[in-house]
């Protein structure tokens, strides 16, 4: 490309001189010769060529932070009671309120979620970055997140205060207690290694939620599946909120075949990559087998939401913030039946 630019430069000089000789332009006057060496020109052109996409890249990083994408999917569950067939379920994850700097944009995303009119909503962890007081300016916004059948939530690795410095263990515990109270203040039913029965008419399904459980050693393992599944054997369908998707392959698949579907977050898709309808890639795939969208193993499924907020750096490129809407369908996935 740079060689082509240099050729065009020299061609323009040559053409200009020819036109001057033929009298097309004003009579030629004496000018200083072309004193810009080719190597210098290429260097400057290279710097310019690099600066333009870098500026565009930085602009795109910030513009993607609040560019909420609604992802709509059918969720097929063979044992789903007919009363739940067609129910709309919304999921958001990884709010990370401590990173926000535009309340209007955040509210816009909430309004997009509510505009889908979900019957029930799941939030799958990481309400804050480090401390509960980060929600001070945003609780009034997320308090609007309501649904006819309820909002169910779980905790993520950032919610425990493990990444902040505390004067005493009591101060850290107070922070966690305040976070739990924040869920209550917003009307969200926080599931901490427990379950609820969601009932329509005379039919029920199970909503289970565990505390954070990450396979990588740097993430806490507070989740207790033995407690979450307690007294759920009679329920035909069990939906699990589990923040870290590595939990699915490490514990759910080998030990809990009764779990039909897991809803996770955590990865953010690393906030960088490429995601289209039929292809996706991000460096995070070298850390997580399941990092964005649907995955299936036998009769069990997981969906990884790439997050509502952002953390680490103020940018999203290619992997945009997500609001997921599932329409529950009773029966097997017709596409799986064909495979």
């Amino acid at each position: 490309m740079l060689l082509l630019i240099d050729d065009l430069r020299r061609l323009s000089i040559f053409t200009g001189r020819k036109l001057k000789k033929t009298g097309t332009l004003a009579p030629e006057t004496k000018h200083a010769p072309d004193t810009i060496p080719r190597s210098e020109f290429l260097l400057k052109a290279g710097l310019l060529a690099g600066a333009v996409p870098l500026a565009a890249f930085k602009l795109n990083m910030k513009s993607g932070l609040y560019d909420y994408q609604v992802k709509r999917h059918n969720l097929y569950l063979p044992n789903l009671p007919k009363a739940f067939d067609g129910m709309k379920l919304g999921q958001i994850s990884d709010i990370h309120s401590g990173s926000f700097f535009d309340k209007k944009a955040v509210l816009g995303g909430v309004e997009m979620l509510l505009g889908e009119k979900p019957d029930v909503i799941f939030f799958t962890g990481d309400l804050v970055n480090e401390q509960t007081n980060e929600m001070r300016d945003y609780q009034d916004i997320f308090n609007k997140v309501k649904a006819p059948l309820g909002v169910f939530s779980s905790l993520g690795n950032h919610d425990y205060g493990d990444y902040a410095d505390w004067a005493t263990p009591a101060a850290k515990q107070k922070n966690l207690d305040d976070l739990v109270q924040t869920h209550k203040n917003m009307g969200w039913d926080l599931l901490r290694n427990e379950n609820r029965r969601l009932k329509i008419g005379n039919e029920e399904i199970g909503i289970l939620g565990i505390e954070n459980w990450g396979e990588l050693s740097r993430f806490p393992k507070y989740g207790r599946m033995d407690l979450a599944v307690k007294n759920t054997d009679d329920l035909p369908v069990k939906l699990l909120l589990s923040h870290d998707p590595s939990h699915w392959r490490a514990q759910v698949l080998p030990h809990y075949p009764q779990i039909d579907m897991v809803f996770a977050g955590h990865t953010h898709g690393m906030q960088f990559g490429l995601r289209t309808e039929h292809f996706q890639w991000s460096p995070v795939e070298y850390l997580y087998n399941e990092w964005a969208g649907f995955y299936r193993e036998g009769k069990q499924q997981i969906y990884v939401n790439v997050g509502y907020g952002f953390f680490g750096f103020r940018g999203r490129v290619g992997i945009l913030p997500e609001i997921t809407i599932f329409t529950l369908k009773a029966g097997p996935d017709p596409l799986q039946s064909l495979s």
Side-chain angles (χ1 to χ4, degrees):
M1 174 60 77
L2 294 180
L3 293 177
L4 176 60
I5 292 172
D6 186 51
D7 288 340
L8 291 173
R9 175 188 70 90
R10 287 187 285 119
L11 177 61
S12 66
I13 294 171
F14 173 79
T15 302
R17 288 175 176 170
K18 294 292 289 183
L19 289 172
K20 289 176 182 178
K21 287 181 180 179
T22 58
T24 304
L25 298 179
E28 184 176 1
T29 57
K30 291 187 177 182
H31 294 283
D34 180 18
T35 57
I36 302 178
R38 183 171 184 270
S39 59
E40 181 182 347
F41 174 82
L42 291 178
L43 175 61
K44 291 180 177 178
L47 292 173
L48 178 62
V52 171
L54 179 60
F57 180 79
K58 291 181 69 176
L59 180 63
N60 187 44
M61 281 173 57
K62 284 197 171 182
S63 67
L65 289 176
Y66 302 105
D67 188 8
Y68 300 106
Q69 305 292 298
V70 177
K71 302 285 186 180
R72 300 179 182 88
H73 301 282
N74 289 329
L75 173 55
Y76 291 92
L77 299 163
N79 297 326
L80 185 71
K82 291 298 182 183
F84 292 88
D85 188 47
M87 186 182 84
K88 291 178 73 173
L89 187 161
Q91 182 194 6
I92 57 174
S93 191
D94 298 84
I95 287 173
H96 286 285
S97 54
S99 298
F100 289 144
F101 55 89
D102 188 336
K103 291 187 69 174
K104 184 178 180 181
V106 174
L107 175 60
V110 168
E111 291 173 343
M112 288 176 66
L113 168 63
L114 298 178
E116 295 292 319
K117 301 187 185 308
D119 299 295
V120 63
I121 296 174
F122 291 170
F123 170 67
T124 45
D126 278 359
L127 190 63
V128 299
N129 293 344
E130 294 182 348
Q131 301 184 32
T132 302
N133 60 18
E134 296 166 16
M135 277 294 290
R136 179 178 56 248
D137 295 331
Y138 292 94
Q139 182 175 311
D140 61 329
I141 293 178
F142 290 101
N143 186 57
K144 300 178 187 296
V145 176
K146 310 286 186 188
L149 297 177
V151 179
F152 298 90
S153 57
S154 61
L155 297 177
N157 55 296
H158 282 265
D159 291 325
Y160 298 92
D162 289 346
Y163 307 131
D165 294 325
W166 303 99
T168 64
K172 180 181 179 182
Q173 183 60 49
K174 174 64 164 54
N175 178 75
L176 180 57
D177 293 342
D178 289 345
L179 186 98
V180 171
Q181 186 61 47
T182 298
H183 282 252
K184 291 180 180 178
N185 293 343
M186 296 188 297
W188 297 5
D189 190 352
L190 179 61
L191 303 178
R192 302 181 67 185
N193 301 324
E194 53 193 319
N195 62 75
R196 303 286 186 266
R197 289 171 176 260
L198 194 62
K199 189 172 184 178
I200 298 180
N202 295 320
E203 296 182 305
E204 295 178 318
I205 62 173
I207 310 297
L208 293 67
I210 68 161
E211 300 201 38
N212 193 81
W213 195 102
E215 185 177 28
L216 296 179
S217 59
R218 67 178 180 272
F219 297 123
K221 293 178 171 62
Y222 298 126
R224 289 280 305 274
M225 281 295 295
D226 58 322
L227 298 178
V229 301
K230 192 174 181 180
N231 300 322
T232 62
D233 290 345
D234 63 310
L235 294 169
V237 166
K238 302 171 187 64
L239 308 178
L240 173 66
L241 284 66
S242 180
H243 176 70
D244 190 320
S246 66
H247 176 243
W248 184 62
R249 191 164 294 280
Q251 272 201 345
V252 176
L253 289 180
H255 304 301
Y256 295 92
Q258 69 270 43
I259 301 299
D260 298 278
M261 176 73 184
V262 173
F263 299 85
H266 182 62
T267 71
H268 299 208
M270 204 172 271
Q271 296 169 211
F272 177 83
L274 178 63
R275 195 179 185 195
T276 68
E277 184 179 356
H278 302 293
F279 175 80
Q280 61 183 29
W281 176 86
S282 167
V284 78
E285 72 177 32
Y286 304 116
L287 295 175
Y288 291 89
N289 291 312
E290 294 77 35
W291 61 272
F294 263 116
Y295 301 86
R296 177 189 296 271
E297 191 89 8
K299 295 181 179 180
Q300 295 177 278
Q301 303 176 76
I302 185 173
Y303 189 91
V304 184
N305 178 296
V306 296
Y308 188 91
F310 51 94
F311 179 76
F313 72 99
R314 287 188 173 186
R316 276 187 179 268
V317 179
I319 308 293
L320 299 175
E322 177 176 354
I323 297 164
T324 320
I325 302 295
F326 303 92
T327 300
L328 273 55
K329 299 286 188 179
D333 185 339
L335 295 180
Q336 291 294 320
S337 302
L338 294 175
S339 60

